[in-house]
Amino acid sequence: MTKTITIDGNAIPFEDGQTIMDAATAAGVYIPHLCHHPEYTPHGSCKLCTVRVNGRVCSACTFPAAEGQDVLNNTKDLNDDRQKITQMLFVEGNHFCPSCEKTGNCQLQAVAYYLNMLDDHFPHFYAHREMDASHHDVLIDHNRCIFCTLCVRASQQKDGKDVFAISGRGINKHLIVNSKSGQLKDTDLEASDQAAHICPTGAILIKRTGYTVPIGERIYDHKQIDEVSLASEAEDHG
Amino acid sequence: MAKIRIATTSLAGCFGCHMSFLDLDERLVALADLVEFDRSPITDIEHCTNCDIGLIEGGVCNSENVHTLREFRKNCKILVAVGACAINGGLPAMRNFIPLEECLSEAYLDGIGVENPQIPSDPELPLLLDKVRPIHEVVKIDYFLPGCPPSADVFWAFLTDLLEGREPSLSYELVHYD
Ligand code: SF4
Ligand code: SF4
Ligand code: FES
């Protein structure tokens, strides 16, 4: 007999070893997420995937599915909390979408649209963050990093390299690269690496590719992130 | 029925949001039956009084912006942040990472092609703030219309919702930050 959990009242099958996120995605149920990617070990840092499991607040991307779980996901309260979390991500960094090459194709922006986020609510930090344009093909704009560690994981788990890491804590947390000079050009990163393409924001960009897709044809111009995400991730979770 | 009074202004903005408002085109005629304009670039009224709706484009970058914003808050029942700059400072806020003195010297002293270099200091000029700020950090804002600029359809959806007594809401297609 298949084991099931319920999400928002619907029975969702799961197999042992799956997280709530795995089971939900395989069944076509979208749980908002930014630091989660089906091909990599969960990190559980962005908290966008916060759900209630039998009343308790948990991260769906790290919490194992188990018999008897009654999960709340798409509720007003949870989406309000997710919107506040997203607003915090926006004010901690410097997100000027009109001048960002990722706009229209950015998961952070798309999650904010999905949550109908119309303002940033909190006061802005306007923290001074640098850019690293030293690499021939790849640019890092630290203003837009949300410390999801997807580039760290992709470099280690897919590319067999160790180009990125997160250093420091709290407000001083920042992305670092593995080279003596501290510059991206002196690492072994190549533009074809998975780590150069996985960033859910405009923090890691491939040079000379910006604005090639016209407004109206970008990923999230007409499709919401739930649809886009389920279409690309449902198989990985199968 | 008395017409709804709307005031508008551009603080640290580029008037792009106002231009987008004018993109309502023939819908402006329908709107004119229902609303009248108080202080706004299209009326030349200098101070707003007793308005129903205030539309603010741009963030605050100088002392005059702060006074204008407070005047709007005092005189408008509903105050609306219009566009990216009002909401998060926008492109003018990209100067926030450069010390003000450096910005001024680059523009007025050391910049290429500057003649008669001097930092403008006429007492009539409003003083610059050290950082450009979104308007919700200065006064309470009731509604936000994102976009750089928000499209005419955003203004239309918002105003018709308000005028017809509905809680304004923007559909997915109308919410964008660029
Ligand atoms: S990374 Fe995304 S949210 Fe940030 S400025 Fe770029 S498009 Fe906007
Ligand atoms: S650079 Fe991008 S992928 Fe790497 S941690 Fe920052 S947001 Fe995540
Ligand atoms: S997706 Fe689960 S914490 Fe980020």
Side-chain angles (χ1 to χ4, degrees), chain A residues 90 94-99 103-104 109 112-113 116-124 126-128 218 220-224, chain B residues 84 87-91 93-94 96-98 131-134 136-137 144-146 148 169-173 175-178:
Chain A
F90 269 76
N94 297 302
H95 295 275
F96 300 108
C97 299
S99 67
T103 188
Q109 188 187 59
Y113 291 171
N116 203 243
M117 180 183 122
L118 303 181
D119 71 314
D120 293 341
H121 183 81
F122 300 104
H124 278 259
Y126 294 128
H128 185 70
R218 302 169 305 180
Y220 302 107
D221 278 336
H222 305 294
K223 280 190 192 157
Q224 299 208 31
Chain B
I87 291 171
N88 65 21
L91 299 199
M94 294 180 92
N96 290 353
F97 314 105
I98 304 164
K131 280 189 170 42
V132 179
R133 290 277 166 194
H136 77 271
E137 295 186 19
F144 298 83
L145 303 180
C148 184
S169 72
L170 297 177
S171 64
Y172 182 80
E173 294 273 333
V175 178
H176 59 94
Y177 305 155
D178 54 8

Side-chain angles (χ1 to χ4, degrees), chain A residues 18 43 96 124 139 165 170 172 176 198 206 221 223-225:
Chain A
Q18 280 189 317
H43 187 244
F96 300 108
H124 278 259
L139 173 99
N172 297 315
I176 52 169
I198 195 121
I206 306 294
D221 278 336
K223 280 190 192 157
Q224 299 208 31
I225 192 166

Side-chain angles (χ1 to χ4, degrees), chain B residues 121-139:
Chain B
S121 61
D122 191 290
E124 292 246 331
L125 291 174
L127 288 174
L128 291 178
L129 307 180
D130 70 329
K131 280 189 170 42
V132 179
R133 290 277 166 194
I135 62 175
H136 77 271
E137 295 186 19
V138 181
V139 297

Side-chain angles (χ1 to χ4, degrees), chain A residues 37-78:
Chain A
H37 190 291
E39 287 172 42
Y40 301 106
T41 322
H43 187 244
S45 60
C46 75
K47 300 302 168 205
L48 251 299
C49 68
T50 298
V51 290
R52 273 189 186 273
V53 182
N54 299 337
R56 187 178 146 199
V57 172
C58 301
S59 303
C61 69
T62 53
F63 208 76
E67 203 87 61
Q69 284 174 346
D70 185 13
V71 180
L72 292 180
N73 167 41
N74 195 9
T75 69
K76 183 171 183 312
D77 277 0
L78 284 167

